Amino acid sequence: MSITMDTTLASLVTNKRRVSALKSLGIVTVGDALTYYPFRVTEPVPLRAIREAAPGQQMAFAAVIRDMRVVPMNARRGYRLEATVDDADFARSRRVPGSTARLTFFSYRKSYVDWVSMRLRAGTSVVVSGMPSEYMGQLQFTHPEILTVAPGSAGAGAGLEGYARGAASGNGAFAGSTDPYASVQSAYPPAAAASSGAALKYDADTVQEALTRVCRPRPVYHASSRISSEHIHETILGLLWMMGARTSSTPDGQLAGAGSAGIVAPTTDTIAVQNGEENSGTTAESGAEALSQSIPDVLPESVRKAKNLMHRAEAFLAIHDPASTTRFKEAIETLRYEEAFVSQTSLLKARSHAHKSAAHSCPLVTDSLRDQFIASLPFSLTAGQQQVIHDIAADLAHDWPMQRLLQGEVGSGKTVVALAAMLQAVDAGYQAVLVAPTQVLAEQHAETIGRMVEQLKPAIPVTLLTGGMKLAARRKALAAASSGEPGIIVATHAAFSKTFQAPHLALVVIDEQHRFGVEQRESLNAKTDDGTTPHLLVMTATPIPRTAAMTWFGDLDISWLTELPGGRKPIRTVVVNEADAATMGRMFAHIRARVDAGERAYIVCPRIDADDEGNEGGSGVSAAAGSARGRAAASGSSARTAAGGRATRAAADAIGIDDPYETFDENGETVARPPLHAVAEIADRLQKLPQFQGIRFATLTGRDKDDVKTQVMADFAGGETPILVSTTVIEVGVDVKQASCIVIFDADRYGLSQLHQLRGRVGRGGTNSWAFLISRAEPGSPAEQRLEVIHHSLDGAEIAQADLEFRGAGDVLGDAQSGGKSSLKLLRVVKDADMIADARTRAEQLLAADPELAGEVQLAGAVLDFTRGNETFLTSS
């Protein structure tokens, strides 16, 4: 059976429970498994004789079992198994006297005790790895890792004697050294197979093999309650063995070589098919060749050699079965550069493709609608707005499509800039579409734009098209769009449907770009009947550090709006410990005073229902996030969900919290945290407080129907329900000028950029405004440090930079943090800016010589996979 990166685990792994547990982590194919990277690698375990042991310091040694006994624990249920080991031969090789130690195991299960007893029979050669302690004057190892060694033909101690001889002659790979890879010569002769009557299967054929396995660094993976890091590692090594790997990558940079540590063949009760079973004589060299054929390199050979990087197959081996921590880091750098190169190649190809397309030219005319509109504004444009409007006007005059990203702080006036661009297109006799992510925002845009253009001559038709419209109104809107009459169309995702036709479409404006995928964006590009591609303006208030944006968004020209219009006052941000009842009470009294003054308040909760099991994830999403994180990731972190601690995609949608900061214990399992607050729960609690007697509350969640959302927002803006308890559905674009206070529960569980976005919902009417971040973070914890960033800064770029630094290697592009897939798992857009710039330069050189990548088939496939896997260009953070 030929195994590739696309082969499903279900066809290879016989343990269906393990297949299911891996699937819950997003691992479905061999490629998913190999790119499920460990979040850390342990340090090598030093070799020490028993006499060299230091309590509390990890060590490994070889020994022989002298005796073993099982003692029932009468005072408590269960058993204690004690075995005495003697390391005389191993100690001699280290030129110290031999000694004995006790190995101790506790268990309530008799079956476990019987299994350990069978393995630790007197005379058995073993390799022990563990943490020594002292008990009743004797050195003791409690529950150490034990590998049994097959006996040699001369008896159980033959292997150790061979080791001693090898060490005495200077050939001992481990003698007097903590580096078990100092020599590739075997210090132990291969042991003979166990006798035919033996029922025990030994863990290693030689002492050296066992010592190598327990001493080498080990990767630790994010795990869950359903599958441990050890089992994840075991599965990945089994897959590598099946694809041809027989030894790990060696320190000298070769893919494999004689004397390298061997990868143990998986058992048939774990793996269904084993590559090369029919040919037991497979050599290390031919196994390496088979692995490189199963995992072809993506990077061009010239780039790989110029950067002194590993082969892709070698890098996977060095990550999942590292010979040293240095080798592990080199492999991570190799695959990180691969991500940078593939992503930059993809973006450069997208930009090249756009420049080859034709677009409607929309030059400015005398007494233009755009100039009328700017003159009618009751305020002066900022210098930044004037510059961006000028740049867009120049782009629209070209006969190739504009592709521009407009990034601006919440309230910086992006809508005015977008409307000026749309009026320029309408003036040229074409249609313009503004696409908003929600019906509420689309309705607000349509109302605002209609009011702003009503005085212009000639009249500008403004058409609203949403999925929630009644059939008659929807048909009327579709007919208006399909007529081709010059005008402005404001739409939601309905603009991506097949029924939407705009034959004279010249400009597409996408508000909050991270809510839409590349495929959706491209579907609008195909809406014109004359074969032209619309100009594209994408806008976001999601702050991206300038260095990240310039190195990453290679297919878009970038504009920034950094100035806030006059009249906007800075938002005062207060972090409140939820356990501080006195401060919480004063905060609620303050909100009541603002409501009595005619203002409004948002209360934001991450969950919808407290009793809905689908919401119980505790972590949440961005995403995404990933992850997608994840990405995250994600750490990228990264797009992995687990039943033991991470929410599923469906649950994440109900939660709506961007939580890329999950904490993990040393085994990679998620640490349990308090349940998240829910809208229904908080609304009920607050209405019972004396501070809010006589005040009407409203609730708003993503589950509400569009007409309900519209009515709720109208009542909130009108003051009938001056306090709105909602999920993060209000995060984007909601504009209620009377809102002056926002309270965000579980703020320590959100991403900083998402908190900044939510904070921007208040203070839009020129009044004093406050953001209260309710936290349950432990004092001095990373969560508390993150909140200090948002507490002291209103600079979106600064906050985004801190957000990315806190997330570490998590995804910044794609929807990995919301449970989807992303091709980015290692690349850090800010920290790796120099690497991305280098990759971009080399990708430009490659594409100049080979625009279609005809000579780089694997890279072309990776670019295609990258484009498909990253359907968003900004995280929803």
Side-chain angles (χ1 to χ4, degrees), residues 564-583:
L564 292 182
R568 291 292 298 270
K569 296 182 179 179
I571 302 168
R572 304 175 195 179
T573 305
V574 184
V575 179
V576 181
N577 189 321
E578 190 172 342
D580 185 349
T583 302

mmCIF file of all heavy atoms in Angstrom, residues 564-583:
data_model
loop_
_atom_site.group_PDB
_atom_site.id
_atom_site.type_symbol
_atom_site.label_atom_id
_atom_site.label_comp_id
_atom_site.label_asym_id
_atom_site.label_seq_id
_atom_site.Cartn_x
_atom_site.Cartn_y
_atom_site.Cartn_z
ATOM 1 N N LEU A 564 -7.898 59.949 14.486
ATOM 2 C CA LEU A 564 -9.319 59.891 14.790
ATOM 3 C C LEU A 564 -9.954 61.229 14.455
ATOM 4 O O LEU A 564 -9.353 62.290 14.672
ATOM 5 C CB LEU A 564 -9.542 59.581 16.274
ATOM 6 C CG LEU A 564 -9.139 58.186 16.746
ATOM 7 C CD1 LEU A 564 -9.463 58.022 18.223
ATOM 8 C CD2 LEU A 564 -9.845 57.114 15.943
ATOM 9 N N PRO A 565 -11.175 61.224 13.907
ATOM 10 C CA PRO A 565 -11.868 62.488 13.620
ATOM 11 C C PRO A 565 -12.030 63.319 14.874
ATOM 12 O O PRO A 565 -12.050 62.797 15.999
ATOM 13 C CB PRO A 565 -13.229 62.020 13.075
ATOM 14 C CG PRO A 565 -12.988 60.630 12.575
ATOM 15 C CD PRO A 565 -11.959 60.055 13.494
ATOM 16 N N GLY A 566 -12.167 64.629 14.690
ATOM 17 C CA GLY A 566 -12.340 65.512 15.824
ATOM 18 C C GLY A 566 -13.596 65.178 16.630
ATOM 19 O O GLY A 566 -14.584 64.718 16.095
ATOM 20 N N GLY A 567 -13.522 65.415 17.936
ATOM 21 C CA GLY A 567 -14.680 65.167 18.789
ATOM 22 C C GLY A 567 -14.644 63.836 19.515
ATOM 23 O O GLY A 567 -15.377 63.653 20.481
ATOM 24 N N ARG A 568 -13.809 62.908 19.045
ATOM 25 C CA ARG A 568 -13.718 61.613 19.719
ATOM 26 C C ARG A 568 -12.847 61.749 20.961
ATOM 27 O O ARG A 568 -11.733 62.276 20.902
ATOM 28 C CB ARG A 568 -13.122 60.542 18.797
ATOM 29 C CG ARG A 568 -14.013 60.145 17.641
ATOM 30 C CD ARG A 568 -15.252 59.392 18.117
ATOM 31 N NE ARG A 568 -14.936 58.163 18.790
ATOM 32 C CZ ARG A 568 -14.817 56.980 18.202
ATOM 33 N NH1 ARG A 568 -14.976 56.886 16.894
ATOM 34 N NH2 ARG A 568 -14.543 55.899 18.889
ATOM 35 N N LYS A 569 -13.342 61.284 22.105
ATOM 36 C CA LYS A 569 -12.580 61.325 23.348
ATOM 37 C C LYS A 569 -12.012 59.942 23.649
ATOM 38 O O LYS A 569 -12.624 58.938 23.302
ATOM 39 C CB LYS A 569 -13.482 61.781 24.506
ATOM 40 C CG LYS A 569 -14.000 63.200 24.342
ATOM 41 C CD LYS A 569 -14.846 63.612 25.533
ATOM 42 C CE LYS A 569 -15.350 65.048 25.369
ATOM 43 N NZ LYS A 569 -16.194 65.468 26.513
ATOM 44 N N PRO A 570 -10.835 59.881 24.268
ATOM 45 C CA PRO A 570 -10.252 58.566 24.578
ATOM 46 C C PRO A 570 -11.136 57.785 25.551
ATOM 47 O O PRO A 570 -11.781 58.353 26.433
ATOM 48 C CB PRO A 570 -8.901 58.916 25.220
ATOM 49 C CG PRO A 570 -9.026 60.343 25.657
ATOM 50 C CD PRO A 570 -9.969 60.996 24.704
ATOM 51 N N ILE A 571 -11.178 56.483 25.352
ATOM 52 C CA ILE A 571 -12.000 55.604 26.202
ATOM 53 C C ILE A 571 -11.199 55.247 27.449
ATOM 54 O O ILE A 571 -10.046 54.807 27.356
ATOM 55 C CB ILE A 571 -12.385 54.327 25.433
ATOM 56 C CG1 ILE A 571 -13.134 54.690 24.151
ATOM 57 C CG2 ILE A 571 -13.213 53.393 26.296
ATOM 58 C CD1 ILE A 571 -13.297 53.535 23.182
ATOM 59 N N ARG A 572 -11.803 55.427 28.600
ATOM 60 C CA ARG A 572 -11.137 55.060 29.859
ATOM 61 C C ARG A 572 -11.346 53.564 30.094
ATOM 62 O O ARG A 572 -12.485 53.089 30.112
ATOM 63 C CB ARG A 572 -11.720 55.865 31.022
ATOM 64 C CG ARG A 572 -11.653 57.365 30.799
ATOM 65 C CD ARG A 572 -12.361 58.118 31.917
ATOM 66 N NE ARG A 572 -12.603 59.514 31.535
ATOM 67 C CZ ARG A 572 -13.223 60.398 32.309
ATOM 68 N NH1 ARG A 572 -13.669 60.032 33.500
ATOM 69 N NH2 ARG A 572 -13.402 61.635 31.893
ATOM 70 N N THR A 573 -10.257 52.853 30.277
ATOM 71 C CA THR A 573 -10.328 51.403 30.440
ATOM 72 C C THR A 573 -9.991 51.029 31.873
ATOM 73 O O THR A 573 -8.969 51.473 32.422
ATOM 74 C CB THR A 573 -9.347 50.709 29.472
ATOM 75 O OG1 THR A 573 -9.621 51.144 28.134
ATOM 76 C CG2 THR A 573 -9.473 49.200 29.556
ATOM 77 N N VAL A 574 -10.850 50.223 32.494
ATOM 78 C CA VAL A 574 -10.681 49.821 33.891
ATOM 79 C C VAL A 574 -10.725 48.296 33.968
ATOM 80 O O VAL A 574 -11.651 47.670 33.447
ATOM 81 C CB VAL A 574 -11.796 50.416 34.788
ATOM 82 C CG1 VAL A 574 -11.543 50.054 36.248
ATOM 83 C CG2 VAL A 574 -11.886 51.925 34.598
ATOM 84 N N VAL A 575 -9.720 47.695 34.602
ATOM 85 C CA VAL A 575 -9.711 46.247 34.834
ATOM 86 C C VAL A 575 -10.261 45.991 36.228
ATOM 87 O O VAL A 575 -9.790 46.565 37.217
ATOM 88 C CB VAL A 575 -8.291 45.668 34.707
ATOM 89 C CG1 VAL A 575 -8.302 44.159 34.974
ATOM 90 C CG2 VAL A 575 -7.722 45.952 33.328
ATOM 91 N N VAL A 576 -11.286 45.143 36.306
ATOM 92 C CA VAL A 576 -11.969 44.878 37.577
ATOM 93 C C VAL A 576 -11.882 43.398 37.905
ATOM 94 O O VAL A 576 -12.263 42.547 37.084
ATOM 95 C CB VAL A 576 -13.451 45.316 37.518
ATOM 96 C CG1 VAL A 576 -14.130 45.058 38.860
ATOM 97 C CG2 VAL A 576 -13.567 46.779 37.125
ATOM 98 N N ASN A 577 -11.376 43.087 39.092
ATOM 99 C CA ASN A 577 -11.376 41.695 39.555
ATOM 100 C C ASN A 577 -12.795 41.307 39.955
ATOM 101 O O ASN A 577 -13.415 41.978 40.783
ATOM 102 C CB ASN A 577 -10.422 41.542 40.756
ATOM 103 C CG ASN A 577 -10.220 40.093 41.147
ATOM 104 O OD1 ASN A 577 -11.156 39.299 41.128
ATOM 105 N ND2 ASN A 577 -8.999 39.748 41.502
ATOM 106 N N GLU A 578 -13.308 40.242 39.375
ATOM 107 C CA GLU A 578 -14.696 39.879 39.631
ATOM 108 C C GLU A 578 -14.959 39.569 41.102
ATOM 109 O O GLU A 578 -16.081 39.717 41.599
ATOM 110 C CB GLU A 578 -15.085 38.674 38.774
ATOM 111 C CG GLU A 578 -16.579 38.378 38.806
ATOM 112 C CD GLU A 578 -16.978 37.302 37.814
ATOM 113 O OE1 GLU A 578 -16.195 37.026 36.881
ATOM 114 O OE2 GLU A 578 -18.074 36.753 37.977
ATOM 115 N N ALA A 579 -13.901 39.134 41.819
ATOM 116 C CA ALA A 579 -14.073 38.813 43.236
ATOM 117 C C ALA A 579 -14.155 40.062 44.115
ATOM 118 O O ALA A 579 -14.513 39.967 45.291
ATOM 119 C CB ALA A 579 -12.918 37.923 43.708
ATOM 120 N N ASP A 580 -13.857 41.235 43.560
ATOM 121 C CA ASP A 580 -13.889 42.490 44.310
ATOM 122 C C ASP A 580 -15.321 43.038 44.275
ATOM 123 O O ASP A 580 -15.685 43.848 43.422
ATOM 124 C CB ASP A 580 -12.903 43.475 43.690
ATOM 125 C CG ASP A 580 -12.772 44.768 44.490
ATOM 126 O OD1 ASP A 580 -13.594 44.986 45.406
ATOM 127 O OD2 ASP A 580 -11.868 45.560 44.176
ATOM 128 N N ALA A 581 -16.143 42.606 45.205
ATOM 129 C CA ALA A 581 -17.574 42.950 45.209
ATOM 130 C C ALA A 581 -17.800 44.455 45.334
ATOM 131 O O ALA A 581 -18.709 45.003 44.706
ATOM 132 C CB ALA A 581 -18.281 42.213 46.350
ATOM 133 N N ALA A 582 -16.956 45.142 46.121
ATOM 134 C CA ALA A 582 -17.152 46.579 46.324
ATOM 135 C C ALA A 582 -16.951 47.335 45.007
ATOM 136 O O ALA A 582 -17.763 48.204 44.645
ATOM 137 C CB ALA A 582 -16.182 47.088 47.387
ATOM 138 N N THR A 583 -15.885 47.001 44.276
ATOM 139 C CA THR A 583 -15.627 47.681 43.006
ATOM 140 C C THR A 583 -16.694 47.337 41.974
ATOM 141 O O THR A 583 -17.127 48.200 41.194
ATOM 142 C CB THR A 583 -14.233 47.291 42.477
ATOM 143 O OG1 THR A 583 -13.250 47.630 43.456
ATOM 144 C CG2 THR A 583 -13.919 48.022 41.174
#
